[in-house]
Amino acid sequence: MGGPVGRSSTHGEGTRSRVRHADRPGGDGGLYEDGDGDGGGRTRRESDDAGAGEPAAKSAGDGPGRRAGPRGTNGRGRSSRRAPKSGRRRALRWVSSVLALLILAAGGAGYLYYEHLNGNIRKGDLTLGDKQMADHKANAAGQTPLNILLIGSDARDSAENQKLGGAKETFGAPPLADVQMLLHLSADRSNLSVVSMPRDTMLKMPKCTAPDGEVFPASTVDVQTNQSLRRGGPGCTVAAWYELTGIRIDHFMMIDFAGVVSMADAIGGVPVCVTANIHSRGANGRGGSGLRLEAGTHSVQGEQALQWLRTRYGFEDGSDLARAKAQHQYMNSMVRQLRKGTKLSDPAKLMNLAEAATTALTVDKGLDTVRKLYDLAEELKKVPTKRITMSTMPNVYGTGVNAGRVYPKAGDAEQLFRMVREDLPLDGKASKRKKEEPKDPSAPVGEIAVAVRNGSATDALGPVSGRAGDVEKLLKEAGFARATIDPDNVAGSARTSILFPSADLEGDAQAVAKALGVPLSQVKRSTDVSGISLAVGADWREGGAYPVSKGTEKTPESAGAQNGEEEGCMKVDPKYTW
């Protein structure tokens, strides 16, 4: 990892204001394992954390040995107090951070110490994108879910992180968001779902405006998802997730290498298991995470915990997906460890954990105090371990210059995202809450005006001819005599949606959804429309009933769901045993 940065197969889309190259796929990658060279054109298993062939850059320009893009959460990077750093490793730390909040809930502090902890927390804007995120829809009991994006960066802007992360040629370079996990807390607080996105997922990036005013235009080519952090900070990572999934993000939390280590130390160790002796080395016999364990279960902490989270070479097939699985097992084990409460009765250890958690975190401004973190911890504590489910975004490998990268798997990925949007538990256990009933329309269906537009275009395909007319016909057959076609708007929409401008039209909009079988979660209030607007999305390019209306509430097998109580054991690749 962290090998030569100048790679082949560059796919940058040209210059933008102030010339930043964040739209080039990949970047130099997650740098999870020190000394692993990348090399353009290698497969996923061979190139470890390398990006999709993005050349390095010095600050705003191109040059060897440095990576391009904005730094830190404010475009300037982070000081020696620690900046976001690694990739997937962070993911875990973040989670450590999130879970550490559970610990904060158990202790008290004097005013001065409270203010000290508040001062430790770094803050950033929640979203830097242009699109306003839709509000949550409350369930029948008036409760709403909570979505937190956990981000791990690979920044190396402090001596401590440089020591832990290696890859000297990247020191001081802008960070990448190499670990991304969405934590979904259900509206009734009965279950918790975590969705990981592989760091080498290829996406279109949304337009983002950095806190200092720098504008990063929407990308016109596929860009590796970890590039989002370079486009102004974590608020752009949030915007990229919303663009892809349609899931409202309420908060983000970001952590770095040193944060993982300090959190693991404060927790006092996390049990992990391997099926055989393992020594993680790079594909060329050098580098790797350095993890060395004997077969069986061990309690890892400090730098060894970081090594576990960074390990790619040595687990299963050596892919980034195997690393995500190991991270999920670590997180589940950490939750179980914290729930035992063995570390919560010691005031000194509690204070150490509070100090570690607040120092390690960068959060959005809605989580900028210990009090707010405490409140979040109280909400998280309501979920029993057996109702925590870890999953990975279903994906498929790319081809050509993007071989070794991944794309969301059609159907399965959207099914997973839909379940989160609709607050459906990933463990398959139906909620006892009452299902939301649509509101009665305020007008007879024959008097409800609906403008239908063709939003079936995708990144690769144009709009399907006649789709707006097909759906208009379905509406008229259902009695919506005032349904019309909006021929002037054919902008692509990933999923079918129904927008309404004001509360008095919500019942009418829901009546449209009910008639077509569109989930109520896709009925949103928006100031972008003056009346009810139905966008026929890319998820409904073919005729017939809306496909998701016949969908199941089962988590796709390709998501690799793991239960919070599973005590998994990572399979070791025979090439990395000793």
Side-chain angles (χ1 to χ4, degrees):
M1 313 233 7
V5 195
R7 300 186 237 296
S8 62
S9 304
T10 301
H11 301 288
E13 60 177 282
T15 56
R16 57 165 67 82
S17 58
R18 304 195 199 174
V19 193
R20 295 256 179 110
H21 302 283
D23 283 347
R24 295 179 178 174
D28 113 332
L31 306 173
Y32 303 126
E33 302 187 348
D34 304 343
D36 292 345
D38 178 11
R42 292 186 180 181
T43 65
R44 176 190 209 132
R45 294 185 59 182
E46 294 171 328
S47 61
D48 194 35
D49 289 8
E54 177 193 16
K58 291 184 178 180
S59 61
D62 284 337
R66 304 283 299 273
R67 291 176 297 166
R71 303 175 59 178
T73 61
N74 59 4
R76 299 181 180 84
R78 294 168 71 182
S79 69
S80 59
R81 293 176 56 193
R82 296 167 195 162
K85 303 260 161 111
S86 70
R88 315 271 125 166
R89 332 149 181 179
R90 302 5 177 4
L92 299 170
R93 330 159 180 177
W94 319 334
V95 179
S96 313
S97 308
V98 174
L99 298 169
L101 306 179
L102 303 176
I103 295 181
L104 292 179
Y111 176 77
L112 292 179
Y113 185 61
Y114 174 80
E115 288 301 307
H116 162 73
L117 291 177
N118 283 342
N120 286 342
I121 304 170
R122 291 177 293 277
K123 303 95 176 173
D125 292 332
L126 174 61
T127 179
L128 301 177
D130 280 358
K131 290 187 178 179
Q132 182 177 355
M133 290 188 285
D135 291 335
H136 288 299
K137 186 174 290 295
N139 62 18
Q143 303 164 308
T144 55
L146 190 62
N147 295 318
I148 305 162
L149 186 62
L150 308 177
I151 304 170
S153 82
D154 69 353
R156 287 169 170 78
D157 54 5
S158 72
E160 189 172 7
N161 279 298
Q162 289 168 3
K163 178 182 178 181
L164 293 169
K168 293 182 179 180
E169 71 276 9
T170 67
F171 285 7
L176 295 165
D178 277 345
V179 182
Q180 300 175 37
M181 294 184 178
L182 180 66
L183 187 157
H184 172 79
L185 182 61
S186 67
D188 62 6
R189 305 308 190 244
S190 69
N191 64 89
L192 180 70
S193 302
V194 177
V195 178
S196 293
M197 183 186 295
R199 57 163 290 286
D200 46 8
T201 300
M202 304 300 289
L203 304 172
K204 290 290 191 298
M205 286 289 133
K207 175 184 176 182
C208 289
T209 303
D212 63 1
E214 182 171 4
V215 176
F216 296 84
S219 68
T220 57
V221 297
D222 290 329
V223 177
Q224 195 162 301
T225 183
N226 61 0
Q227 289 270 347
S228 58
L229 190 59
R230 294 179 166 185
R231 300 166 60 84
C236 193
T237 306
V238 169
W241 267 78
Y242 184 67
E243 183 86 4
L244 173 67
T245 68
I247 299 169
R248 176 183 175 83
I249 310 295
D250 299 289
H251 300 292
F252 71 76
M253 303 178 77
M254 184 164 65
I255 195 172
D256 60 18
F257 290 152
V260 172
V261 171
S262 63
M263 287 299 304
D265 282 340
I267 291 170
V270 174
V272 296
C273 175
V274 288
T275 59
N277 296 351
I278 180 173
H279 185 199
S280 176
R281 306 176 299 278
N284 55 5
R286 303 187 304 274
S289 73
L291 179 69
R292 187 181 179 91
L293 293 173
E294 294 182 356
T297 300
H298 306 269
S299 180
V300 296
Q301 62 185 94
E303 189 169 356
Q304 195 173 46
L306 178 62
Q307 289 174 339
W308 176 276
L309 299 176
R310 297 173 61 192
T311 295
R312 172 173 188 157
Y313 293 126
F315 286 153
E316 298 188 346
D317 62 356
S319 71
D320 198 51
L321 301 178
R323 175 163 44 201
K325 181 177 179 180
Q327 292 174 349
H328 289 166
Q329 289 188 5
Y330 179 99
M331 293 167 64
N332 282 336
S333 183
M334 182 175 59
V335 172
R336 292 193 298 270
Q337 195 74 356
L338 288 173
R339 291 288 174 89
K340 289 180 181 177
T342 54
K343 305 296 177 183
L344 305 186
S345 58
D346 186 328
K349 290 181 178 179
L350 261 178
M351 292 179 68
N352 287 341
L353 187 52
E355 190 77 32
T358 55
T359 302
L361 289 173
T362 297
V363 300
D364 68 278
K365 294 172 183 176
L367 286 178
D368 58 359
T369 67
V370 173
R371 176 73 251 180
K372 293 175 183 177
L373 293 175
Y374 170 89
D375 290 342
L376 174 60
E378 288 296 292
E379 293 299 295
L380 294 171
K381 285 170 61 178
K382 296 175 182 178
V383 180
T385 307
K386 64 183 180 180
R387 296 301 309 281
I388 296 175
T389 305
M390 306 283 177
S391 66
T392 300
M393 179 197 77
N395 58 85
V396 295
Y397 283 103
T399 59
V401 295
N402 287 325
R405 315 300 167 200
V406 300
Y407 289 80
K409 183 178 182 180
D412 283 8
E414 173 56 24
Q415 171 71 2
L416 186 66
F417 298 150
R418 181 183 73 86
M419 291 182 71
V420 174
R421 288 196 305 269
E422 297 184 16
D423 197 25
L424 300 174
L426 298 188
D427 61 7
K429 298 176 182 178
S431 172
K432 295 180 180 179
R433 71 172 187 261
K434 294 180 179 179
K435 291 190 175 181
E436 179 184 9
E437 295 295 333
K439 295 182 178 180
D440 293 332
S442 56
V445 294
E447 299 177 11
I448 297 175
V450 187
V452 184
R453 70 179 187 84
N454 188 348
S456 61
T458 70
D459 292 338
L461 302 171
V464 177
S465 177
R467 285 304 293 139
D470 292 343
V471 175
E472 178 206 26
K473 181 179 179 181
L474 290 176
L475 283 172
K476 286 188 173 178
E477 289 175 352
F480 292 82
R482 296 186 61 193
T484 59
I485 298 174
D486 178 359
D488 298 324
N489 188 346
V490 291
S493 177
R495 65 191 57 83
T496 298
S497 61
I498 301 171
L499 305 181
F500 61 94
S502 56
D504 61 306
L505 290 178
E506 182 174 8
D508 293 354
Q510 289 184 349
V512 174
K514 185 177 181 181
L516 297 175
V518 175
L520 293 183
S521 62
Q522 291 165 228
V523 179
K524 305 288 185 181
R525 183 171 178 173
S526 172
T527 57
D528 294 334
V529 296
S530 57
I532 297 175
S533 175
L534 165 61
V536 184
D539 58 346
W540 200 8
R541 288 175 60 88
E542 298 179 356
Y546 182 63
V548 174
S549 65
K550 297 182 290 186
T552 174
E553 294 188 359
K554 181 180 179 181
T555 302
E557 291 186 7
S558 55
Q562 298 179 43
N563 183 268
E565 291 189 332
E566 290 181 19
E567 297 185 7
C569 199
M570 287 302 297
K571 182 179 179 181
V572 175
D573 185 333
K575 296 192 296 292
Y576 297 92
T577 58
W578 52 276

